[in-house]
Amino acid sequence: PVLYPLLLAGVWKLDPHFPQNMVMGVGITVIFGCLALLLTFLMLRRWRGLGDWPALTIVLAVSLFSLFINQSATIGSDVPFMALMLGATWLAERSLANEPGAGAAFGSGLLVGMSVGLRSLGLPVAAGIGLLLLFRRKFRRLFWFCVAGLPLTLLWSWPAVSAVLGPSPSSAYNDAVRSGWTQTV
């Protein structure tokens, strides 16, 4: 996935002085970590039987968990992916609740498409949200989800798809590697 390297390339363009630019790179992860905690709170407080205070307690416990602190203080795609995935899930849940209508489904598609650009694990998230909208017969929302998410998903995953589907002139070594890749896929 290429979105996170593109974000880091933007940091490098803004401040090409290493290691001083590491602060800005970690700052991106910290911002996404705060966003992930906020989205976790917003999702948990809507659960039946769970109010604001229990949700806030859970978010506080997660925010103090050493693994979350370590991941939020490093340059890596884990925490940004979590924030985008939670945002896509939160908007999809709002779309199912008939609150903002197709806008939430469109936003969910955008976020899920961006999450695929961060980690290939975004593909099952996209499939899960799409299937949920299909099974709940929210066809108009599914349409807007796909309109927003499918172009980004194809953009980010096109190198892997084209390597599997399309033959290209290469050496015997690359053909052997590709055949192993194809068998794995």
Side-chain angles (χ1 to χ4, degrees):
V2 297
L3 183 57
Y4 198 69
L6 285 174
L7 286 172
L8 294 179
V11 168
W12 188 267
K13 285 288 190 186
L14 289 173
D15 185 10
H17 301 95
F18 182 80
Q20 294 85 359
N21 60 3
M22 296 280 289
V23 173
M24 196 181 313
V26 171
I28 290 173
T29 308
V30 169
I31 290 169
F32 276 112
C34 293
L35 181 63
L37 291 172
L38 174 67
L39 288 166
T40 301
F41 173 73
L42 291 174
M43 287 178 67
L44 288 176
R45 70 188 289 219
R46 293 177 61 105
W47 284 10
R48 193 180 337 228
L50 196 68
D52 288 347
W53 286 107
L56 191 58
T57 303
I58 292 169
V59 169
L60 180 63
V62 168
S63 69
L64 297 176
F65 186 55
S66 62
L67 182 63
F68 183 79
I69 292 171
N70 281 341
Q71 291 296 317
S72 295
T74 61
I75 294 180
S77 64
D78 296 333
V79 174
F81 170 75
M82 181 173 67
L84 291 178
M85 185 262 314
L86 286 170
T89 306
W90 180 67
L91 285 173
E93 190 267 335
R94 290 190 54 156
S95 176
L96 284 172
N98 294 328
E99 288 179 8
F106 187 84
S108 178
L110 281 177
L111 290 179
V112 91
M114 289 172 38
S115 75
V116 171
L118 289 174
R119 308 272 318 247
S120 57
L121 192 58
L123 289 171
V125 175
I129 293 173
L131 286 172
L132 182 65
L133 290 169
L134 179 68
F135 291 152
R136 295 271 178 100
R137 300 180 184 270
K138 304 288 185 178
F139 300 119
R140 182 172 290 156
R141 291 186 173 107
L142 176 62
F143 171 77
W144 288 111
F145 175 78
C146 290
V147 162
L150 198 57
L152 287 173
T153 300
L154 291 176
L155 173 72
W156 304 128
S157 56
W158 182 250
V161 171
S162 65
V164 171
L165 297 178
S168 64
S170 63
S171 68
Y173 172 75
N174 286 337
D175 286 340
V177 170
R178 184 180 15 249
S179 69
W181 170 253
T182 304
Q183 288 174 350
T184 303
V185 170

